[in-house]
Amino acid sequence: MSGFCQGDIIRISGFKRQLFVIVSKNAFIKATGIFHVCPMLSNIKAGPIHIPVCGKKGESGTVICEQIKAIDLGARGCNRVDFLAYEDIRNVSDAVQGIFEYD
């Protein structure tokens, strides 16, 4: 396994100060070595798919759930800087899933 988990707040090489939250399920990460992330920005107004979060080590911002990106660990360097509480993971996951629900 890559050592990364759903809810990790990470930095990705090539994005200087930008933080991202891993939104993929752990089973998907383990099976593929790929995970999906959403950017975490500061000074963004909260909304239905803009979820404010605070990591357990103090990193905070708003997860922009409509901007999903796939990251291949073989092609990008990443490092974990913080991680979310279960409630925040659930709120972000619900927002991401809501984007793809049927009308």
Side-chain angles (χ1 to χ4, degrees):
M1 185 169 163
S2 67
F4 292 99
C5 298
Q6 184 181 43
D8 284 349
I9 299 172
I10 65 169
R11 231 180 224 106
I12 301 170
S13 63
F15 294 89
K16 293 185 181 197
R17 293 187 170 173
Q18 179 68 56
L19 295 177
F20 296 86
V21 174
I22 297 176
V23 297
S24 296
K25 291 176 70 167
N26 293 335
F28 179 84
I29 299 168
K30 183 177 181 180
T32 65
I34 295 171
F35 50 75
H36 295 85
V37 298
C38 293
M40 189 171 98
L41 305 174
S42 51
N43 300 320
I44 300 292
K45 186 176 177 182
I49 55 175
H50 295 167
I51 310 299
V53 296
C54 185
K56 292 189 174 188
K57 296 180 181 178
E59 294 289 348
S60 63
T62 302
V63 180
I64 310 303
C65 295
E66 73 271 21
Q67 293 185 13
I68 303 166
K69 297 162 179 49
I71 302 298
D72 180 349
L73 284 170
R76 292 272 191 179
C78 301
N79 66 312
R80 180 184 304 107
V81 296
D82 206 342
F83 54 98
L84 297 179
Y86 179 75
E87 182 178 340
D88 286 332
I89 295 169
R90 190 179 67 225
N91 290 338
V92 170
S93 293
D94 287 348
V96 170
Q97 284 181 330
I99 294 169
F100 297 103
E101 289 180 350
Y102 292 102
D103 283 331

